[in-house]
Protein backbone atom coordinates (compact mmCIF):
# COMPACT_ATOMS: atom_id res chain seq x y z
CA UNK A 1 0.00 0.00 0.00
CA UNK A 2 2.87 2.35 0.85
CA UNK A 3 4.40 1.69 -2.57
CA UNK A 4 1.16 2.73 -4.34
CA UNK A 5 1.08 6.00 -2.38
CA UNK A 6 4.72 6.70 -3.25
CA UNK A 7 4.02 6.04 -6.93
CA UNK A 8 0.99 8.36 -6.87
CA UNK A 9 3.05 11.00 -5.09
CA UNK A 10 5.84 10.65 -7.69
CA UNK A 11 3.35 10.99 -10.57
CA UNK A 12 1.74 14.06 -9.03
CA UNK A 13 5.14 15.64 -8.37
CA UNK A 14 6.27 14.92 -11.91
CA UNK A 15 3.07 16.39 -13.33
CA UNK A 16 3.61 19.54 -11.23
CA UNK A 17 7.17 19.89 -12.55
CA UNK A 18 5.90 19.42 -16.10
CA UNK A 19 3.16 22.04 -15.75
CA UNK A 20 5.45 24.49 -13.99
CA UNK A 21 8.39 24.33 -16.42
CA UNK A 22 7.12 23.15 -19.81
CA UNK A 23 6.50 26.60 -21.33
CA UNK A 24 9.77 28.01 -19.98
CA UNK A 25 11.74 25.09 -21.39
CA UNK A 26 10.00 25.42 -24.77
CA UNK A 27 11.06 29.06 -24.90
CA UNK A 28 14.61 28.04 -23.95
CA UNK A 29 14.70 25.38 -26.70
CA UNK A 30 13.31 27.85 -29.25
CA UNK A 31 16.28 30.16 -28.63
CA UNK A 32 18.44 27.37 -30.08
CA UNK A 33 16.31 25.77 -32.79
CA UNK A 34 14.01 28.65 -33.77
CA UNK A 35 11.14 26.23 -34.37
CA UNK A 36 8.27 26.10 -31.84
CA UNK A 37 7.13 22.62 -32.89
CA UNK A 38 10.64 21.17 -32.70
CA UNK A 39 11.07 22.92 -29.35
CA UNK A 40 7.98 21.17 -27.96
CA UNK A 41 9.30 17.82 -29.19
CA UNK A 42 12.65 18.51 -27.55
CA UNK A 43 11.03 19.42 -24.23
CA UNK A 44 8.82 16.34 -24.38
CA UNK A 45 11.99 14.28 -24.86
CA UNK A 46 13.54 16.04 -21.86
CA UNK A 47 10.59 15.10 -19.67
CA UNK A 48 10.62 11.53 -20.98
CA UNK A 49 14.27 11.31 -20.06
CA UNK A 50 13.56 12.82 -16.64
CA UNK A 51 10.83 10.25 -16.05
CA UNK A 52 13.03 7.38 -17.24
CA UNK A 53 15.80 8.39 -14.86
CA UNK A 54 13.61 9.49 -11.95
CA UNK A 55 15.14 6.88 -9.64
CA UNK A 56 18.61 8.35 -10.16
CA UNK A 57 17.72 12.05 -9.77
CA UNK A 58 17.91 13.93 -6.51
CA UNK A 59 14.63 15.85 -6.46
CA UNK A 60 15.55 17.56 -3.19
CA UNK A 61 17.82 19.88 -5.23
CA UNK A 62 16.48 22.55 -7.62
CA UNK A 63 15.36 20.80 -10.80
CA UNK A 64 15.14 23.77 -13.19
CA UNK A 65 18.92 24.13 -13.81
CA UNK A 66 19.06 20.43 -14.61
CA UNK A 67 16.11 20.76 -17.01
CA UNK A 68 17.71 23.79 -18.69
CA UNK A 69 20.89 21.79 -19.20
CA UNK A 70 19.01 18.80 -20.62
CA UNK A 71 17.00 21.07 -22.93
CA UNK A 72 20.11 22.87 -24.18
CA UNK A 73 21.88 19.57 -24.88
CA UNK A 74 18.85 18.09 -26.67
CA UNK A 75 18.50 21.26 -28.76
CA UNK A 76 22.17 21.14 -29.74
CA UNK A 77 21.82 17.46 -30.65
CA UNK A 78 18.73 18.30 -32.71
CA UNK A 79 20.65 21.00 -34.61
CA UNK A 80 23.58 18.65 -35.24
CA UNK A 81 21.20 15.99 -36.54
CA UNK A 82 19.49 18.53 -38.82
CA UNK A 83 22.87 19.64 -40.14
CA UNK A 84 23.74 16.04 -41.05
CA UNK A 85 20.33 15.53 -42.68
CA UNK A 86 20.75 18.74 -44.70
CA UNK A 87 24.22 17.68 -45.82
CA UNK A 88 22.88 14.30 -46.96
CA UNK A 89 20.01 15.98 -48.80
CA UNK A 90 22.37 18.40 -50.55
CA UNK A 91 24.70 15.56 -51.50
CA UNK A 92 21.79 13.60 -52.94
CA UNK A 93 20.79 16.63 -55.03
CA UNK A 94 24.33 17.05 -56.32
CA UNK A 95 24.62 13.38 -57.28
CA UNK A 96 21.22 13.09 -58.91
CA UNK A 97 20.87 14.16 -62.53
CA UNK A 98 18.43 16.95 -63.22
CA UNK A 99 15.67 16.23 -65.68
CA UNK A 100 13.48 18.52 -67.69
CA UNK A 101 10.26 17.63 -69.41
CA UNK A 102 10.24 20.02 -72.32
CA UNK A 103 7.74 18.07 -74.38
CA UNK A 104 4.14 17.86 -73.09
CA UNK A 105 3.99 14.25 -74.29
CA UNK A 106 7.00 13.39 -72.10
CA UNK A 107 5.30 14.97 -69.10
CA UNK A 108 2.02 13.17 -69.80
CA UNK A 109 3.82 9.85 -70.19
CA UNK A 110 5.63 10.34 -66.89
CA UNK A 111 2.41 11.38 -65.15
CA UNK A 112 0.75 8.23 -66.44
CA UNK A 113 3.63 6.08 -65.20
CA UNK A 114 3.55 7.69 -61.76
CA UNK A 115 -0.22 7.39 -61.46
CA UNK A 116 -0.04 3.72 -62.49
CA UNK A 117 2.61 3.19 -59.81
CA UNK A 118 0.47 5.00 -57.23
CA UNK A 119 -2.40 2.68 -58.18
CA UNK A 120 -0.14 -0.29 -57.33
CA UNK A 121 0.52 0.97 -53.79
CA UNK A 122 -1.46 -0.58 -50.91
CA UNK A 123 -5.08 0.57 -51.17
CA UNK A 124 -5.12 3.12 -48.33
CA UNK A 125 -1.68 4.50 -49.23
CA UNK A 126 -2.75 4.86 -52.87
CA UNK A 127 -5.93 6.69 -51.86
CA UNK A 128 -4.03 9.09 -49.60
CA UNK A 129 -1.43 9.81 -52.30
CA UNK A 130 -4.15 10.59 -54.86
CA UNK A 131 -6.01 12.85 -52.46
CA UNK A 132 -2.81 14.66 -51.51
CA UNK A 133 -1.01 15.05 -54.83
CA UNK A 134 -3.70 14.75 -57.45
CA UNK A 135 -6.64 16.39 -55.70
CA UNK A 136 -4.29 18.70 -53.71
CA UNK A 137 -6.10 18.20 -50.42
CA UNK A 138 -4.52 19.10 -47.11
CA UNK A 139 -3.57 16.41 -44.63
CA UNK A 140 -6.37 17.46 -42.31
CA UNK A 141 -8.96 17.25 -45.11
CA UNK A 142 -7.71 13.79 -46.08
CA UNK A 143 -7.81 12.63 -42.47
CA UNK A 144 -11.40 13.79 -42.09
CA UNK A 145 -12.50 12.27 -45.40
CA UNK A 146 -10.93 8.88 -44.66
CA UNK A 147 -11.66 8.98 -40.93
CA UNK A 148 -8.00 8.51 -39.97
CA UNK A 149 -5.54 10.64 -38.02
CA UNK A 150 -3.35 13.31 -39.59
CA UNK A 151 -0.31 11.29 -38.47
CA UNK A 152 -1.63 8.27 -40.38
CA UNK A 153 -1.99 10.47 -43.46
CA UNK A 154 1.63 11.63 -43.03
CA UNK A 155 2.77 8.03 -42.69
CA UNK A 156 0.99 7.00 -45.90
CA UNK A 157 2.44 10.00 -47.79
CA UNK A 158 5.94 9.24 -46.52
CA UNK A 159 5.59 5.57 -47.47
CA UNK A 160 4.25 6.44 -50.91
CA UNK A 161 6.93 9.02 -51.62
CA UNK A 162 9.68 6.65 -50.51
CA UNK A 163 8.40 4.01 -52.94
CA UNK A 164 8.10 6.56 -55.75
CA UNK A 165 11.61 7.92 -55.04
CA UNK A 166 13.00 4.41 -55.45
CA UNK A 167 11.58 4.23 -58.96
CA UNK A 168 11.58 7.84 -60.15
CA UNK A 169 14.34 10.42 -59.65
CA UNK A 170 13.43 13.09 -57.11
CA UNK A 171 13.97 15.85 -59.65
CA UNK A 172 11.23 14.35 -61.85
CA UNK A 173 8.83 14.12 -58.92
CA UNK A 174 9.65 17.71 -57.95
CA UNK A 175 9.16 18.84 -61.52
CA UNK A 176 5.72 17.27 -61.51
CA UNK A 177 4.80 18.96 -58.24
CA UNK A 178 5.87 22.30 -59.70
CA UNK A 179 3.71 21.57 -62.73
CA UNK A 180 0.85 20.09 -60.69
CA UNK A 181 -1.59 22.15 -62.68
CA UNK A 182 -1.03 19.57 -65.40
CA UNK A 183 -2.70 17.07 -63.08
CA UNK A 184 -5.76 19.30 -62.81
CA UNK A 185 -6.29 20.56 -66.33
CA UNK A 186 -8.40 18.97 -69.02
CA UNK A 187 -5.64 16.61 -70.07
CA UNK A 188 -6.23 14.22 -67.19
CA UNK A 189 -4.18 11.12 -68.01
CA UNK A 190 -5.99 8.22 -69.61
CA UNK A 191 -7.50 5.72 -67.26
CA UNK A 192 -7.65 8.11 -64.33
CA UNK A 193 -10.96 9.51 -63.19
CA UNK A 194 -11.33 12.23 -60.60
Amino acid sequence: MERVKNKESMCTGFEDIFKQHFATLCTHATTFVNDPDASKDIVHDVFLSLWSHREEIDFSRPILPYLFSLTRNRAINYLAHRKVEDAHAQQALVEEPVYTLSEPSDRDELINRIIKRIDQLPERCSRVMKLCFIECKKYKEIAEELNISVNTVKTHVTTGLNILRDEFPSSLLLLLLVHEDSLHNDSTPEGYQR
Side-chain angles (χ1 to χ4, degrees):
M1 190 65 161
E2 183 68 32
R3 190 173 184 169
V4 172
K5 286 183 182 179
N6 284 341
K7 190 171 183 178
E8 288 176 7
S9 174
M10 175 66 83
C11 289
T12 302
F14 187 81
E15 186 177 347
D16 291 342
I17 291 171
F18 181 85
K19 287 178 181 176
Q20 185 178 4
H21 299 301
F22 182 79
T24 303
L25 293 174
C26 285
T27 301
H28 184 57
T30 302
T31 63
F32 291 95
V33 300
N34 200 25
D35 179 347
D37 291 331
S39 297
K40 288 178 184 177
D41 290 342
I42 289 167
V43 174
H44 278 260
D45 286 346
V46 165
F47 278 103
L48 283 173
S49 176
L50 183 67
W51 180 256
S52 297
H53 297 96
R54 66 189 177 278
E55 304 291 328
E56 305 157 20
I57 298 171
D58 180 6
F59 285 96
S60 66
R61 300 183 64 178
I63 194 73
L64 188 58
Y66 177 67
L67 293 174
F68 270 124
S69 178
L70 277 177
T71 303
R72 181 190 69 243
N73 291 339
R74 296 280 172 137
I76 290 169
N77 288 344
Y78 170 83
L79 291 174
H81 183 69
R82 287 288 308 268
K83 190 174 184 179
V84 169
E85 284 180 337
D86 290 347
H88 285 297
Q90 287 177 351
Q91 184 63 29
L93 288 175
V94 167
E95 292 173 354
E96 183 179 297
V98 176
Y99 297 92
T100 60
L101 298 173
S102 54
E103 297 295 319
S105 61
D106 292 341
R107 188 176 67 235
D108 290 343
E109 179 185 338
L110 181 62
I111 290 170
N112 279 327
R113 285 180 50 214
I114 290 174
I115 288 174
K116 283 179 185 175
R117 184 59 185 107
I118 289 172
D119 286 338
Q120 295 169 357
L121 294 172
E123 183 180 344
R124 183 59 61 104
C125 183
S126 173
R127 182 73 181 129
V128 168
M129 292 291 288
K130 288 175 184 175
L131 289 170
C132 185
F133 294 104
I134 295 173
E135 296 183 24
C136 294
K137 291 191 175 188
K138 296 179 180 175
Y139 288 174
K140 186 176 181 184
E141 294 171 327
I142 297 169
E144 289 171 359
E145 183 174 325
L146 298 178
N147 199 25
I148 57 177
S149 73
V150 172
N151 283 336
T152 302
V153 171
K154 290 178 185 178
T155 300
H156 285 305
V157 168
T158 300
T159 301
L161 286 176
N162 285 337
I163 291 169
L164 290 177
R165 282 188 198 113
D166 287 344
E167 298 181 30
F168 302 98
S170 297
S171 59
L172 282 175
L173 294 174
L174 180 61
L175 190 61
L176 287 174
L177 290 176
V178 170
H179 291 96
E180 72 181 38
D181 60 304
S182 67
L183 294 172
H184 298 285
N185 65 17
D186 293 334
S187 64
T188 301
E190 279 183 44
Y192 181 75
Q193 299 167 352
R194 283 190 224 168

